[in-house]
Amino acid sequence: MAKVQFDTPELKEYPEVPPLVDGAMDHSSPYFASPKHQEDLGFPGELVENWEAKAVEKLGELLEKNRALRVYLDSCVKCGACTDKCHYFLGTGDPKNMPVARQDLLRSIYRRYFTLAGKIVPGLVGARDMTKDVLDEWYKYYHQCSQCRRCSVFCPYGIDTAEISMAAREIMDHVGIGQKYCNEILGKVHVIGNNLGLPEKALINTLEELEEDVEDETGVAVKYPVDQEGADVLLITPSADFFAEPHIDGFIGYGKVFHQAGISWTVSSYASEAANFAMFIGSYEQMHKVSNRIRKAARDLGVKRVIFGECGHAWRVAYSFLNTLAGPWDFLDPKYPVPQHILEFTYDLMKRGGLSLDPSANDDKVLTFHDSCNVARGSRMGDMEGGQFFIPREVIKRSVNKFYDMPADTIHEKTFCCGGGGGLLTDDLLELRVKGALPRMEALNYVVEEYGVTHMAAICAICKSQFSKVMPYYGFPMHMIVSVHQLVSEAILLGDKE
Ligand code: SF4
Ligand code: SF4
């Protein structure tokens, strides 16, 4: 595929609804999964015979299984409230990136085959036959939705475009048209245990070297254990935490927090991945399989509790579905929530005086915080309403002296996606990622100019990777994005307790 040339959108002082440009992103399409990547997940290797009927049949099956999907497809009144709420529309001006238009790509097929009006007078109700043109359009535009659910916050009926996008991707996988990035990664998780294909030996070596580096730097023997049987805590964290920047700085911070808490912990080489890309492709079966690795690791290692590291969609899957996917977790210590987020753990320790912190260690930085979509709109944290907004900010504010939030309509439940979520964090979608980051970059630019913000913290591995890549396109240095536990790591006084 030839490299696409594109212009980075201009940062405006106030966000503007872009002029409509028909077909502006019609060329954007991710690489297809190879037959092997498809077959590794039990999907057909290529477009099956009679695929039109099979796609419709699969949609019928999903409508039976997921009643919400039928409600979403039935209840849109075309009020238009969602049209300017998607970051991909705001960044590209392509009308098919308006959430309602994205929904209609599948709704038109639903109407044609599952409603009376669509069967009798298809032209009058926007119903279309399932054709190759429709399939091609699905492949392009359902891979221009990061399943961030921002549009659903503004829809008076709560229609969740993410669910529709997941259903479309699942149908495509079942007729033999999958996306390379997600499906290849899932195959690696099933065989090796993590997205990167990092084998046990390499993981052990990496963490041994990390221990040495941290001891050299701090003079304290902080442990980063792998496969330690009988540890109190199994840490399930995105594999990017083991080596990528700024993820690893957060991982170093988790180890320091556990060290100060005096709690034994371990990662597992068998389940060395928090991410569960099966959610992005809408596959319950795959999601179940990935989650079961975590259950097996927790059982085999005999831990008492399971804690998740900084990963947005992993936390949504864990918080919302882990019990039904891989429960019951009755072999863990019932004193602790299953699962628990590392931020809940750290915040609890801070509240109880278990950590000594010197926020002036971060005085070279002025912070803001990016709420990750799947944490903000797909989960909670702690035992309070809005904990997913409050706890990360509280941990940051105890670790730094200078913090400013971005404008209110771009944070909390109205946060904008980083532009790389939902299985789109791949270089074959770079133009989409850069343009989709526009609303977040505008909000960041506001606090940079108003308050001199120098760094933006996040608690999602995808957000961190996406921002490192796209920030330079907007004139921000890539090191502006930091992990929340990186700030804790800088501020923590090892050896002391409050
Ligand atoms: S879920 Fe997010 S990416 Fe998808 S249409 Fe809605 S706002 Fe856009
Ligand atoms: S806001 Fe909801 S009801 Fe209104 S057009 Fe969008 S999806 Fe349809």
Side-chain angles (χ1 to χ4, degrees):
M1 187 182 283
K3 208 168 168 195
V4 177
Q5 299 293 324
F6 62 89
D7 293 325
T8 303
E10 190 190 331
L11 292 176
K12 306 260 173 37
E13 192 176 349
Y14 299 102
E16 287 176 13
V17 177
L20 297 187
V21 187
D22 268 327
M25 292 301 284
D26 192 56
H27 57 277
S28 178
S29 178
Y31 294 147
F32 292 105
S34 69
K36 180 175 182 326
H37 298 145
Q38 286 286 100
E39 284 158 7
D40 282 351
L41 303 188
F43 300 134
E46 53 191 28
L47 195 59
V48 293
E49 265 181 49
N50 200 17
W51 66 269
E52 297 92 336
K54 287 188 174 142
V56 171
E57 188 189 336
K58 186 69 191 171
L59 175 56
E61 195 186 295
L62 296 181
L63 291 167
E64 286 300 315
K65 267 206 309 212
N66 181 355
R67 298 298 297 273
L69 180 63
R70 189 184 286 269
V71 172
Y72 296 149
L73 293 172
D74 275 335
S75 53
C76 175
V77 294
K78 302 284 188 286
C79 71
C82 64
T83 49
D84 60 349
K85 303 303 185 292
C86 176
H87 50 292
Y88 292 123
F89 170 67
L90 293 172
T92 68
D94 190 321
K96 286 192 183 137
N97 277 329
M98 290 177 176
V100 57
R102 198 183 316 284
Q103 294 164 22
D104 278 353
L105 299 176
L106 192 140
R107 185 175 284 119
S108 55
I109 301 304
Y110 165 71
R111 289 210 169 130
R112 174 70 184 83
Y113 298 97
F114 297 93
T115 68
L116 189 60
K119 286 176 187 168
I120 300 170
V121 281
L124 291 184
V125 293
R128 300 186 294 177
D129 288 340
M130 187 76 218
T131 63
K132 186 66 171 53
D133 283 349
V134 170
L135 186 68
D136 291 346
E137 214 176 25
W138 279 18
Y139 192 75
K140 290 174 189 170
Y141 286 96
Y142 285 119
H143 289 107
Q144 294 186 40
C145 170
S146 56
Q147 305 171 341
C148 78
R149 310 173 86 218
R150 186 172 195 265
C151 47
S152 71
V153 171
F154 296 88
C155 173
Y157 295 89
I159 295 172
D160 187 352
T161 317
E163 290 282 335
I164 296 173
S165 152
M166 288 169 192
R169 292 193 198 174
E170 189 174 13
I171 295 167
M172 289 189 279
D173 269 327
H174 276 84
V175 299
I177 299 291
Q179 184 217 17
K180 176 177 187 280
Y181 177 63
C182 283
N183 292 4
E184 184 178 17
I185 277 178
L186 275 165
K188 282 187 205 156
V189 175
H190 294 330
V191 177
I192 302 170
N194 58 64
N195 285 5
L196 303 168
L198 191 69
E200 179 186 349
K201 200 157 178 275
L203 177 62
I204 291 169
N205 289 344
T206 304
L207 297 198
E208 276 174 2
E209 279 171 27
L210 190 67
E211 275 184 5
E212 285 166 22
D213 291 348
V214 173
E215 185 163 359
D216 285 350
E217 197 185 313
T218 65
V220 179
V222 178
K223 294 288 167 209
Y224 292 87
V226 184
D227 295 335
Q228 190 184 302
E229 283 185 29
D232 287 333
V233 170
L234 169 62
L235 179 79
I236 299 291
T237 207
S239 52
D241 277 3
F242 302 134
F243 78 98
E245 289 284 355
H247 313 59
I248 193 166
D249 301 307
F251 185 73
I252 290 171
Y254 312 155
K256 290 183 181 175
V257 170
F258 286 128
H259 176 89
Q260 285 302 96
I263 285 180
S264 61
W265 67 289
T266 189
V267 296
S268 155
S269 62
Y270 176 75
S272 44
E273 184 60 71
N276 194 331
F277 276 32
M279 186 172 77
F280 301 150
I281 62 166
S283 169
Y284 174 83
E285 292 76 18
Q286 296 292 323
M287 208 153 61
H288 184 69
K289 209 171 157 189
V290 174
S291 298
N292 264 333
R293 289 185 81 93
I294 298 172
R295 179 188 176 82
K296 180 169 168 16
R299 258 196 181 287
D300 290 353
L301 291 167
V303 296
K304 297 193 179 103
R305 56 204 288 200
V306 176
I307 294 183
F308 274 72
E310 297 182 6
C311 183
H313 81 278
W315 181 240
R316 180 181 181 203
V317 174
Y319 179 87
S320 303
F321 315 126
L322 197 65
N323 276 291
T324 43
L325 284 168
W329 295 84
D330 47 4
F331 57 91
L332 298 176
D333 188 332
K335 283 207 300 282
Y336 306 107
V338 183
Q340 201 174 21
H341 196 284
I342 186 71
L343 276 159
E344 289 177 69
F345 178 83
T346 300
Y347 176 56
D348 183 56
L349 205 60
M350 285 175 166
K351 276 194 309 185
R352 290 190 292 110
L355 291 183
S356 289
L357 296 156
D358 173 15
S360 70
N362 285 308
D363 273 356
D364 57 330
K365 307 178 191 75
V366 184
L367 262 299
T368 192
F369 177 65
H370 165 76
D371 292 280
S372 299
C373 323
N374 275 299
V375 177
R377 288 186 284 265
S379 73
R380 275 193 179 180
M381 203 180 281
D383 55 4
M384 71 188 93
E385 192 175 338
Q388 73 272 36
F389 310 127
F390 175 79
I391 292 175
R393 285 174 172 77
E394 222 21 59
V395 169
I396 294 171
K397 286 178 189 168
R398 287 170 188 242
S399 306
V400 310
N401 283 318
K402 291 168 273 184
F403 175 84
Y404 298 93
D405 254 323
M406 288 181 274
D409 57 348
T410 74
I411 60 170
H412 291 192
E413 70 277 3
K414 292 182 187 157
T415 189
F416 276 106
C417 171
C418 62
L424 308 183
L425 188 77
T426 167
D427 282 354
D428 35 324
L429 293 175
L430 188 59
E431 177 185 3
L432 180 79
R433 289 167 53 190
V434 170
K435 292 183 174 175
L438 175 70
R440 174 49 77 223
M441 292 296 101
E442 285 179 335
L444 175 63
N445 196 41
Y446 175 82
V447 287
V448 166
E449 292 191 344
E450 199 72 9
Y451 306 114
V453 161
T454 61
H455 290 80
M456 178 165 72
I459 53 169
C460 171
I462 287 176
C463 296
K464 292 172 198 173
S465 298
Q466 158 74 353
F467 286 132
S468 307
K469 180 90 179 186
V470 304
M471 275 175 153
Y473 284 83
Y474 289 95
F476 300 119
M478 64 193 292
H479 68 255
M480 265 187 99
I481 180 73
V482 293
S483 300
V484 170
H485 273 80
Q486 174 178 350
L487 303 169
V488 177
S489 175
E490 295 287 330
I492 206 164
L493 298 172
L494 289 173
D496 285 341
K497 295 206 178 183
E498 274 178 358

